[in-house]
Amino acid sequence: MATHRPSAEAADMQPLFLSAPAAVQLVRALGVAPCLAGLAALDDAGFRQLFAGTPVKRTGRDRFLRNVAYALGNSRRREAALPAIERLLADASPLVRGAAVWALSRQAPEVFAARRGSAADPDPAVQAEWSAPLAE
């Protein structure tokens, strides 16, 4: 079965937001990767369903969402990435929250700088991300 690969122009025009159930349906039906915001919205059940029977499942949800956060931090679509980053900042996993802090510092350094003084996270690694200097 051939996979559908949209052109760069078509991919750029696709909406960035996709719910986790819609992302699962899209991947299963078309073999097209879901958008980053849709991936950032995956809960554990959605992650397991989407990646059942694939090597990605062995990675685990937390490490996978850490990578999604890094991709959001490097995205050129700030207005679409920021809501997904905010969602990841509230994730239960410190691994995900730490990567989301880094992503926020990349996408919205002014928001990061304003929030870093009042950011309170119980995890030392997440606190270290809030304390890290801004990248130039």
Side-chain angles (χ1 to χ4, degrees), residues 59-123:
T59 300
R61 177 191 173 272
D62 294 350
R63 289 186 292 173
F64 178 77
L65 287 185
R66 173 200 57 199
N67 294 346
V68 169
Y70 291 145
L72 286 164
N74 287 315
S75 173
R76 290 182 292 181
R77 300 182 69 188
R78 176 185 176 180
E79 66 285 344
L82 282 176
I85 292 168
E86 288 292 340
R87 182 174 30 252
L88 294 177
L89 285 169
D91 196 84
S93 168
L95 184 67
V96 175
R97 290 193 312 273
V101 171
W102 177 87
L104 181 66
S105 75
R106 297 280 300 205
Q107 286 294 340
E110 69 288 350
V111 174
F112 173 82
R115 289 171 63 179
R116 76 187 314 174
S118 62
D121 194 285
D123 188 87

Side-chain angles (χ1 to χ4, degrees), residues 19-65:
S19 69
V24 170
Q25 290 175 345
L26 184 62
V27 168
R28 299 275 190 230
L30 302 175
V32 174
C35 62
L36 290 173
L39 293 172
L42 286 173
D43 60 9
D44 192 56
F47 173 81
R48 290 174 183 273
Q49 182 181 7
L50 181 62
F51 295 109
T54 72
V56 175
K57 186 172 177 290
R58 283 184 277 142
T59 300
R61 177 191 173 272
D62 294 350
R63 289 186 292 173
F64 178 77
L65 287 185

